[in-house]
Amino acid sequence: MQFIDRIILKKKLEKRFEGIKIKYTKNRFECDIEKQIVYLPKEKNPKSDFYFWTWYEKYYNTRIDETELFLLSMLHEIGHIITWTEELEEERDEQFGLLQALHELSNLTTRQLNNQYFEIPMELQATEWAKNYFEKNFKKPLTNQNEYAII
């Protein structure tokens, strides 16, 4: 699989989303809302990717490839910064705490925990923003179906 050139991607995103910085970390997508930093993985995290990938395809009744997964995961983190409210964060923290307790006290599997987590309003709002942004601003060039151009 070919990813978009990371240096070009970083420059384009930082230009498009003024004030947001893009940095790289070992193997997971995350963001620091307060510092407005989005961390992109240098390496794949198959387990983490799998949970989001399968949830996304089922929730939106669509199929996505690995490149689309990467772009949507990245945009999801940007979406957290753009859609953040204190109320959403408090609600997410409370609901995630309840989900963790359920996971420990019941037969809730890690997959079920992740599926419920992705539907917490703050997470879902960031994903909705990412999906809408992706659909409006990215396209596959006709020459190479594994690469994307930012419109």
Side-chain angles (χ1 to χ4, degrees):
M1 176 185 66
Q2 297 176 337
F3 280 116
I4 297 171
D5 182 289
R6 292 178 190 268
I7 295 169
I8 292 171
L9 179 64
K10 178 183 184 328
K11 288 179 181 178
K12 285 189 175 198
L13 290 172
E14 287 180 347
K15 184 177 180 182
R16 175 78 50 103
F17 301 105
E18 193 173 321
I20 294 178
K21 296 290 178 206
I22 306 295
K23 294 188 177 185
Y24 291 95
T25 187
K26 186 169 176 133
N27 68 355
R28 60 181 285 185
F29 291 92
E30 58 186 302
C31 72
D32 183 325
I33 293 171
E34 188 176 315
K35 293 180 182 176
Q36 296 205 342
I37 300 172
V38 170
Y39 296 95
L40 306 180
K42 290 180 185 175
E43 303 168 8
K44 287 187 200 180
N45 183 341
K47 196 174 202 177
S48 177
D49 291 349
F50 172 77
Y51 290 128
F52 183 70
W53 196 344
T54 56
W55 172 84
Y56 186 94
E57 288 185 335
K58 185 175 180 182
Y59 189 84
Y60 291 106
N61 192 29
T62 190
R63 306 290 288 165
I64 58 174
D65 63 27
E66 278 187 86
T67 303
E68 291 164 329
L69 174 67
F70 175 85
L71 293 170
L72 287 162
S73 297
M74 171 196 68
L75 289 169
H76 169 89
E77 298 305 330
I78 293 170
H80 274 306
I81 294 170
I82 290 174
T83 64
W84 180 87
T85 67
E86 189 172 331
E87 294 81 21
L88 279 173
E89 185 168 9
E90 288 171 2
E91 181 181 22
R92 181 202 57 188
D93 292 346
E94 182 180 303
Q95 289 180 358
F96 185 61
L98 291 171
L99 285 173
Q100 285 181 309
L102 271 174
H103 179 61
E104 292 170 10
L105 298 172
S106 71
N107 292 340
L108 191 66
T109 65
T110 302
R111 184 176 187 168
Q112 290 169 320
L113 172 72
N114 277 282
N115 287 343
Q116 292 296 313
Y117 177 76
F118 296 134
E119 293 182 25
I120 291 173
M122 183 175 177
E123 295 302 318
L124 195 53
Q125 191 165 333
T127 302
E128 284 287 326
W129 182 90
K131 178 182 178 292
N132 292 333
Y133 189 89
F134 177 82
E135 289 171 353
K136 291 177 185 168
N137 296 283
F138 285 82
K139 68 173 185 170
K140 282 187 180 181
L142 296 175
T143 55
N144 186 340
Q145 292 298 306
N146 289 328
E147 293 181 0
Y148 281 79
I150 302 173
I151 300 171

